[in-house]
Amino acid sequence: MRFDTPAGLNPIDQQRVIGKPITRVDGPLKVSGAAPYAYERHDVVPNQAYGFILGAAIAKGRVEHIDVAKARTAPGVIGVVTTLDMPPLQQGEHNIATLFGGPDIVHYHQAIAIVVAETFEQARAAAHLIVVDYARSPGSFDLQSASASAKVTPDKGNHGPDAPPVIKGGDFAAAFRDAPVKLDRTYTTPVHSHSPMEPHASIAAWDGDKLTIWTSSQMIGWWHPDVARALSLQPEQLRLDSPFIGGGFGSKLYMRCDAVLAALAAKAVKRPVKVAQARTFMFNNSTHRAATIQHIQLGAKRDGTLVAISHTSTSGNLPKATPEPAAAQTALLYAAANRAVTLRLATLDLPEAADMRAPGEAPGLMALEMAMDELAEQLGMDPVELRIRNDTQVDPIDPSRPFSQRHLIECLRTGAERFGWARRNPKPGQVRDGEWLIGMGVASGFRNNLIQPSAARITLEPSGAITVETSMTDIGTGSYTIIAQTAAEMLGVDVQDVTVKLGDSRFPKASGSGGQWGANSATSGVYAAAMALRRSIAERLQINPDQAQFAGGNVTDGTHSAALRTAAKDGPIIAEDGMEYGDLAKKYQQSTFAAHFCEAAVNAYTGEMRIRRLLAVCDAGRILNAKTAHSQVIGGMTMGVGAALMEELAVEKRFGLFINHDLAGYEVPVHADIPDLDVVFLDYPDDKSSPMKAKGVGELGLCGVGAAVANAVYNATGVRIRDYPITLDKHLAHLPAIA
Ligand code: MOS
């Protein structure tokens, strides 16, 4: 099915099932331990041996020699495969760093060997008996010093292969020079780690020349060709299966070394092999969100109208990799005739940087929305009003492109009202509650709505049972539930009448989970398959397909009526289709919007910070399930608190590694850090986005939160920290006098 004109009235608009806060259909499996993650698939194949991965102890250079003699004869060891046993694995579409093979080391903890043993402990013990000789090369590990040689790099991720080096409108330099009010600031954000609860893990088993890998993947459609290429297999020789995933946040978008090493090891020892990345290995072996240095210049009239905006973000990555697109939102978020949006990329010899939840906007808004707060203060203007003053309903650089929908002003006004923004004292450092300094902050949230083709297959059994199969994944987001809702809505049955099967590469190729495109894209694929099934059912029942109504388990055209299951009385009916997209996303800028509000308390004596309240008002099209969407947004808000106040993967600049590579040293918020969170959905169906009229919402929950927290902390203390995370050591010495 093709979606190239705005959606008219369709069965989803009934909202009999869609939109309802239906509890996750996989919830009972999750809470009873019956939803197995990759490493726990003990039943899929017998005789599983355990692999343990050894990572390089240098950041750059060569492996000269690997002595595995002691490891091979250690108790329980079945086999050892080292990186010197084979040439570098063929690169896939989506990886930059070599996952395995050959002597060259491009980052710390690059995999260099796998030991297979009867038990995990034996494999781990033997791995530490391997002796490696390295030839170390000097590397570049410090973004500040490397930034001098950073090169302007087009934003191909957001603007395609023809991306201009700088996204420009008007004449920024002249407009900024002449602007009566100017702000010129630099902000920094550190490296962030995804660290999903479930580590990267795989079980691989060969059957002749056919391979199955049970793994933990967000994107079966991206992994499948890449894993096949790395292992020199034809696509039909490989099956991937990833039905349950314990979080991803972008770290599982691209195949990781556990998948290919499990396969290589299983081949070597002629037995199924299971491998999990140890927590302390994940931080340096897998990807991370790059640190940024962001230079922002805002020029405004005295009434707050922006006339000039420049945002330059510098980040580092391995050669041939891409920059963190932290300036991307600045092309679209606010009106202003003159702007320049620039990404610069420095070469660093750290592990590969790649997408992490809301790549670009998450760190970009931490800077831009703090700059807007600073400008509001300079103008003596309310920060909510400054944002409203600069709203735009069209792409500011190409005004012939309207936003498909944009209700940012309503987000801000609704949020201000609900949060009690009028009670905020604009003068910082003034409000006290006992020993606590209290402040309020606001930020806009923005994230583009991306969309991916996605397909599904639906079967109606003679019993009336309905099964949906698609290689879509559920990374903890609620995909099972919204897909069941979509099929139920389309076929006029209840959610419990639908079985959903996900994550298997043998199923029709789906969008996968990433870039907050999963919910809208995958359900649109199910919509297409359901439309095909409705036609087949109507034909079998000799009911006019164009007039057929599906409700209460029956099909009717007004004259004839029949139970849905009777259509399949002579055998199952199977329908398969997918959704593809025309150029509506080119004609209309499709984005999602939020207003984030924060009340923070800062201890006047110790400088410690506590979040008291957070509110998100979200404009993200139709909300498919009010409960799972709410959970996505509060998860994003929690991540935003982490980014504002805690998270920093620290670079050891002499040896080139992330030194706090465990969850003791890499701090994230825990329950005690987070109060009740409030979320409001405006819930305006967007007929340009898809037949579902939905948009992404999961990443929107994060976008802008960090700045709202930072702005609240500033309003509490009057100390502006432009270097995230805002830890107490950075403002303690500058807090208002206590007595
Ligand atoms: Mo997201 S960074 O595309 O999982």
Side-chain angles (χ1 to χ4, degrees):
M1 214 173 165
R2 201 170 159 78
F3 183 75
D4 47 17
T5 52
L9 195 68
N10 69 39
I12 297 298
D13 293 317
Q14 303 169 97
Q15 298 214 149
R16 191 178 49 81
V17 191
I18 284 291
K20 298 286 181 295
I22 291 171
T23 298
R24 286 170 58 149
V25 298
D26 52 331
L29 293 178
K30 284 281 171 76
V31 297
S32 63
Y37 296 106
Y39 201 70
E40 300 160 344
R41 310 247 351 232
H42 313 297
D43 57 339
V44 290
V45 59
N47 205 25
Q48 299 173 13
Y50 292 80
F52 188 89
I53 306 168
L54 184 68
I58 62 167
K60 194 176 183 187
R62 282 171 63 86
V63 176
E64 298 280 337
H65 182 72
I66 304 183
D67 181 352
V68 298
K70 282 210 182 92
R72 272 194 201 285
T73 54
V77 170
I78 309 164
V80 181
V81 180
T82 83
T83 197
L84 298 182
D85 297 342
M86 63 189 67
L89 295 182
Q90 281 231 43
Q91 289 291 82
E93 283 281 306
H94 297 102
N95 294 77
I96 300 294
T98 306
L99 292 180
F100 196 69
D104 294 328
I105 300 300
V106 301
H107 68 86
Y108 185 82
H109 270 177
Q110 181 179 318
I112 57 167
I114 178 166
V115 178
V116 184
E118 294 293 344
T119 70
F120 169 78
E121 289 77 10
Q122 289 171 330
R124 181 177 57 183
H128 292 125
L129 299 175
I130 295 177
V131 181
V132 186
D133 294 331
Y134 299 100
R136 250 179 90 188
S137 311
S140 169
F141 309 120
D142 178 30
L143 178 61
Q144 283 289 351
S145 48
S147 73
S149 57
K151 292 193 174 53
V152 173
T153 307
D155 184 8
K156 293 192 179 136
N158 282 291
H159 297 275
D162 303 324
V166 179
I167 301 180
K168 272 194 223 167
D171 182 347
F172 167 77
F176 185 68
R177 186 190 60 222
D178 299 337
V181 181
K182 294 193 223 309
L183 183 90
D184 187 329
R185 294 276 189 273
T186 297
Y187 305 88
T188 55
T189 64
V191 176
H192 291 152
S193 175
H194 314 82
S195 293
M197 287 292 282
E198 183 207 15
H200 306 282
S202 299
I203 300 173
W206 292 87
D207 177 9
D209 65 356
K210 290 208 160 49
L211 172 66
T212 301
I213 306 178
W214 295 271
T215 190
S216 185
S217 164
Q218 294 178 224
M219 298 289 300
I220 294 295
W222 288 359
W223 281 50
H224 192 264
D226 279 6
V227 174
R229 192 177 329 180
L231 298 169
S232 304
L233 297 175
Q234 295 304 313
E236 56 277 10
Q237 290 173 269
L238 175 67
R239 178 189 165 212
L240 298 178
D241 189 36
S242 183
F244 297 104
I245 296 141
F249 313 115
S251 69
K252 297 169 182 171
L253 288 170
Y254 317 118
M255 67 167 171
R256 306 288 352 142
C257 73
D258 51 282
V260 286
L261 283 172
L264 293 168
K267 184 156 229 176
V269 303
K270 301 186 171 57
R271 241 175 99 171
V273 170
K274 67 192 307 182
V275 186
Q277 292 199 11
R279 178 68 61 185
T280 48
F281 180 69
M282 288 169 64
F283 286 81
N284 283 284
N285 180 268
S286 68
T287 59
H288 61 273
R289 190 202 299 286
T292 65
I293 301 169
Q294 301 183 51
H295 181 211
I296 295 179
Q297 293 166 300
L298 302 176
K301 297 188 199 163
R302 294 203 193 280
D303 68 357
T305 307
L306 285 166
V307 293
I309 304 177
S310 168
H311 190 164
T312 300
S313 171
T314 303
S315 59
N317 210 339
L318 291 168
K320 295 194 212 144
T322 52
E324 174 71 24
Q329 74 286 319
T330 308
L332 290 162
L333 183 49
Y334 297 118
N338 307 288
R339 80 182 66 209
V341 174
T342 312
L343 298 179
R344 298 169 72 246
L345 179 62
T347 296
L348 290 179
D349 299 300
L350 292 170
E352 179 180 345
D355 299 319
M356 179 167 150
R357 201 173 190 180
E361 287 91 342
L365 288 166
M366 288 165 75
L368 178 65
E369 290 300 288
M370 197 194 289
M372 287 294 280
D373 200 62
E374 296 203 58
L375 180 66
E377 186 177 36
Q378 203 173 315
L379 289 159
M381 194 170 174
D382 182 272
V384 170
E385 292 306 317
L386 175 64
R387 289 170 171 87
I388 289 171
R389 174 77 44 93
N390 290 291
D391 187 54
T392 174
Q393 293 294 314
V394 297
D395 175 345
I397 291 174
D398 178 2
S400 70
R401 291 179 72 237
F403 283 92
S404 61
Q405 288 198 354
R406 175 169 163 135
H407 303 102
L408 177 60
I409 292 179
E410 189 178 337
C411 291
L412 288 160
R413 290 224 191 277
T414 303
E417 172 70 29
R418 189 172 174 117
F419 200 69
W421 183 253
R423 295 200 301 274
R424 172 181 178 266
N425 185 336
K427 192 156 182 246
Q430 303 299 307
V431 181
R432 294 286 288 258
D433 176 7
E435 66 190 47
W436 296 90
L437 297 157
I438 309 298
M440 287 192 205
V442 66
S444 296
F446 175 95
R447 170 82 180 151
N448 278 331
N449 179 57
L450 307 171
I451 189 100
Q452 300 279 336
S454 195
R457 177 163 60 228
I458 312 182
T459 304
L460 173 67
E461 304 283 351
S463 65
I466 293 164
T467 305
V468 183
E469 295 168 310
T470 166
S471 77
M472 179 59 188
T473 51
D474 189 327
I475 62 174
T477 39
S479 309
Y480 279 103
T481 312
I482 57 172
I483 285 172
Q485 285 175 269
T486 304
E489 190 81 78
M490 294 297 291
L491 299 170
V493 299
D494 292 332
V495 166
Q496 50 270 30
D497 299 328
V498 180
T499 302
V500 179
K501 296 184 176 172
L502 300 181
D504 191 327
S505 61
R506 296 180 301 192
F507 298 155
K509 185 177 167 183
S511 65
S513 302
Q516 78 169 11
W517 62 62
N520 182 33
S521 303
T523 55
S524 294
V526 174
Y527 175 98
M531 278 304 215
L533 184 63
R534 282 164 61 112
R535 273 191 299 280
S536 300
I537 290 169
E539 278 161 21
R540 290 244 195 139
L541 294 173
Q542 294 178 317
I543 280 175
N544 182 344
D546 299 324
Q547 261 132 48
Q549 301 283 325
F550 290 70
N554 294 309
V555 193
T556 178
D557 62 1
T559 351
H560 303 92
S561 183
L564 188 67
R565 68 172 183 283
T566 58
K569 67 179 187 322
D570 298 329
I573 311 181
I574 303 168
E576 182 173 332
D577 199 2
M579 193 63 72
E580 298 195 353
Y581 295 86
D583 64 356
L584 280 180
K586 286 209 182 75
K587 285 192 205 148
Y588 299 90
Q589 176 57 40
Q590 298 190 15
S591 304
T592 64
F593 305 90
H596 290 288
F597 291 83
C598 174
E599 182 179 313
V602 181
N603 190 287
Y605 294 83
T606 66
E608 74 179 283
M609 287 154 279
R610 290 278 176 256
I611 304 296
R612 289 198 161 181
R613 293 188 294 141
L614 284 176
L615 164 66
V617 183
C618 299
D619 170 31
R622 167 180 277 143
I623 298 303
L624 298 174
N625 178 321
K627 185 181 278 185
T628 56
H630 177 268
S631 293
Q632 279 299 292
V633 172
I634 61 174
M637 292 160 80
T638 303
M639 210 169 191
V641 171
L645 303 182
M646 300 169 198
E647 291 184 51
E648 175 172 20
L649 201 48
V651 181
E652 208 306 342
K653 289 171 190 166
R654 293 164 303 167
F655 295 101
L657 70 145
F658 302 127
I659 199 69
N660 51 338
H661 48 95
D662 58 38
L663 287 173
Y666 185 79
E667 292 188 14
V668 297
V670 298
H671 279 93
D673 295 313
I674 303 295
D676 276 349
L677 305 177
D678 191 11
V679 181
V680 175
F681 293 114
L682 298 187
D683 206 354
Y684 289 115
D686 187 333
D687 66 355
K688 317 288 192 309
S689 70
S690 76
M692 302 303 294
K693 305 178 187 174
K695 292 196 272 197
V697 74
E699 296 182 334
L700 181 67
L702 166 62
C703 295
V705 176
V709 171
N711 295 338
V713 168
Y714 170 75
N715 182 244
T717 62
V719 186
R720 184 68 79 176
I721 308 299
R722 300 185 183 88
D723 174 35
Y724 288 99
I726 300 171
T727 46
L728 62 86
D729 54 297
K730 294 177 184 170
H731 65 200
L732 186 58
H734 310 285
L735 293 183
I738 286 159

